[in-house]
Amino acid sequence: MSDFQPGDTVKVGTRFPIGHVRTPYYCRGLTGEVERRVGTFKNPEELAYGRADHEPLTLYRVRFRQKDIWPDYKGLDADTVDIELFENWLEPAA
Amino acid sequence: MSTEHPHNHSHDHGHDHDHSGAPKQPDTEDRALTYHAAMADAVADLLIAKGVFNADELRAKIETMQSRTPALGAKVVARAWVDDGFKQRLIQDGSSAVAELGLDPGPAPLTVVENTAETHNVIVCTLCSCYPVFLLGKSPDWYKSREYRSRVVREPRTVLAEFGTDIAEDQAVRVHDSTADLRYMVLPCRPEGTENLSESELTTLVTRDSLIGVIECKSE
């Protein structure tokens, strides 16, 4: 699992598992920029089923350009959405 | 209303209908018990029965949580407006800075995002309804609505305009989707013309909606 730094570009996984997933559909498969490394937290996808016996995951805040999310977005190029995403959903952007 | 009804109020009716003809507001028990409400009651009963906590502790916790209001967040903002060092610490580590004021930021790390002339911030939880309850109290119903949650991330400028907030054409809008373990609060811009106000006077300018980011603070 990569350790990302602020400013790194990352790509969100495109997959659709059933469960308590905290990665919104609208950012899956998209590329954004790491805004900060938040810290480590237990994986909500496991905690939701009462499974707490695992190593915590690194959580990042990733900034996406609105125009990358919504092609017809009406606003500035500088308009963004910041989303908290766990490391298991992120890979280095090509 | 029945035409046979004797409209003589000198006697004891023995009934409780509203003579205006308007439907009575239902009592709590008149609404159907939902599945999740029943589950919550059952879990609370079981935890009390098992001695995990007692009824008074549960009651006190509910009382404390329901006593929290956006006045707590307003206190934090007013301090940040008058004390730049505090403001920097607040943006760096919201939970620690809030604790400096003797307030309980709650278990989730508080992230404070600052509005500037260049950037307006707005908070949403698109997946559910995450909200900084410890500093703002109970969230407004619209914050939990599908409409707000789906639209503010998709067309924030339009949604903000519907709240009466027109964003300048050269000001960026930054949406924060509270998807996981952080909780967010906006640090609004200090309104112009408030240079002579005291810290406690400033707190009265800071409202709930400005802390969520759907409005800016006004000078009065």
Side-chain angles (χ1 to χ4, degrees), chain A:
Chain A
M1 213 68 81
S2 302
D3 189 20
F4 301 111
Q5 303 300 321
D8 287 353
T9 51
V10 290
K11 189 169 189 230
V12 185
T14 305
R15 54 182 197 269
F16 302 92
I18 291 168
H20 186 67
V21 174
R22 306 305 299 177
T23 302
Y25 272 46
Y26 68 82
C27 71
R28 293 187 197 179
L30 298 184
T31 298
E33 185 176 306
V34 172
E35 188 266 344
R36 73 180 77 168
R37 182 185 184 280
V38 176
T40 59
F41 298 86
K42 294 276 178 123
N43 183 356
E45 296 172 28
E46 296 293 315
L47 287 179
Y49 297 94
R51 299 192 292 261
D53 186 21
H54 57 267
E55 287 299 310
L57 298 177
T58 301
L59 179 67
Y60 296 93
R61 269 165 52 81
V62 181
R63 181 163 294 169
F64 298 87
R65 279 169 19 108
Q66 286 279 26
K67 288 187 175 177
D68 289 339
I69 302 176
W70 324 106
D72 62 346
Y73 180 77
K74 292 181 182 62
L76 300 184
D77 289 352
D79 287 2
T80 55
V81 184
D82 289 6
I83 309 174
E84 291 160 58
L85 296 168
F86 282 95
E87 60 176 311
N88 59 330
W89 278 89
L90 300 175
E91 58 185 71

Side-chain angles (χ1 to χ4, degrees), chain B residues 11-142:
Chain B
H11 68 278
D12 181 7
H13 282 68
H15 64 193
D16 60 0
H17 68 250
D18 182 341
H19 285 216
S20 72
K24 230 180 69 170
Q25 182 175 320
D27 289 321
T28 303
E29 296 82 355
D30 295 334
R31 301 189 193 103
L33 184 64
T34 65
Y35 170 81
H36 293 98
M39 285 294 279
D41 285 351
V43 169
D45 286 350
L46 283 168
L47 289 167
I48 290 168
K50 282 175 167 284
V52 176
F53 49 70
N54 65 34
D56 185 57
E57 288 167 332
L58 175 61
R59 177 209 58 74
K61 191 75 178 174
I62 293 169
E63 184 180 46
T64 303
M65 291 310 292
Q66 291 189 344
S67 72
R68 295 180 183 279
T69 74
L72 299 169
K75 190 175 167 184
V76 175
V77 167
R79 175 61 60 87
W81 282 348
V82 300
D83 180 344
D84 199 55
F86 177 78
K87 184 174 98 173
Q88 300 309 324
R89 295 195 295 283
L90 183 67
I91 291 164
Q92 191 70 32
D93 180 349
S95 294
S96 298
V98 163
E100 281 181 39
L101 302 184
L103 302 176
D104 179 1
L110 179 71
T111 305
V112 175
V113 288
E114 182 189 14
N115 283 354
T116 64
E118 292 79 36
T119 308
H120 181 91
N121 295 281
V122 60
I123 310 303
V124 63
C125 173
T126 60
L127 297 177
C128 48
S129 56
C130 299
Y131 188 76
V133 178
F134 277 72
L135 285 177
L136 270 61
K138 195 168 173 287
S139 59
D141 287 343
W142 57 257

